[in-house]
Amino acid sequence: MSAVPRRKLTAAEYLVIERAAEFKSEFYDGEMFAMAGASREHVSVNDALVGELYARLRGGPCRVYSRDLRVRVDATGLYTYPDVVVLCGPGEYDPADRDTLTNPTALIEVLSPTTERYDRGAKFRMYQRLPSLKEYVLVAQDAPAVERYVRQPDGQWTFVAFVGLDAELELTSVPVRVPLVDVYRGVEFPSPLRTDPPPAV
């Protein structure tokens, strides 16, 4: 006997469920995906990024939002909660939900072991379908390392890495530079692997 396939949800049904839910879920292709809790390091890095960007963008045309702001990719139907959202200029919102942004300028994801492959792969490919998106940034939580992808006029994406506590994350979509020492302040990194030779026998 074959299993009965589960009925896919519509976006409208997802939004009704999401508004009443006690936890956040992403939505794609008729399915909801509950978001897992984040590690202490993830939260620390995420909060530091929001705070540093907020202080630098305050009073200008760009605003920064935490991971509670929902974003929709119209071309794919993805509803998601990026860790950090930067919006420059007026916001555009999902006609079905005024709290769902559709035109972010820059998106930042703090990498986790369970989501890194998705953030680098399928999610990034869907984010690229956002016409407004100029910049995508991936931030490690277990080492001072940041990757920046910038959309070029021909549609290609260029890559730059910022590594080490003496480096600065420089955004191109907004005139902002953030020292990594401020992003990772208070974060305890895993002990590096020993590279010295084994003792002589």
Side-chain angles (χ1 to χ4, degrees), residues 13 18 34 39 54 70 77 93 119 167 170 182 186 193-194:
E13 290 171 327
E18 188 71 352
S39 69
Y54 175 82
R70 188 167 49 243
Y93 299 91
D119 290 339
E170 180 180 7
D182 293 330
L193 295 175
R194 292 180 61 90

Side-chain angles (χ1 to χ4, degrees), residues 42-58 62-69 82-86 108-110 139 169 171 176 178 182-184:
H42 187 289
V43 172
S44 179
V45 169
N46 193 94
D47 289 351
L49 280 167
V50 172
E52 294 294 330
L53 290 172
Y54 175 82
R56 288 164 170 78
L57 297 176
R58 182 171 51 194
C62 300
R63 290 159 286 166
V64 60
Y65 297 94
S66 71
R67 57 191 170 191
D68 287 328
L69 180 66
D83 285 318
V84 183
V85 177
V86 177
I108 302 175
E109 296 285 6
V110 179
V139 182
L169 164 62
L171 298 183
V176 168
V178 181
D182 293 330
V183 172
Y184 290 97

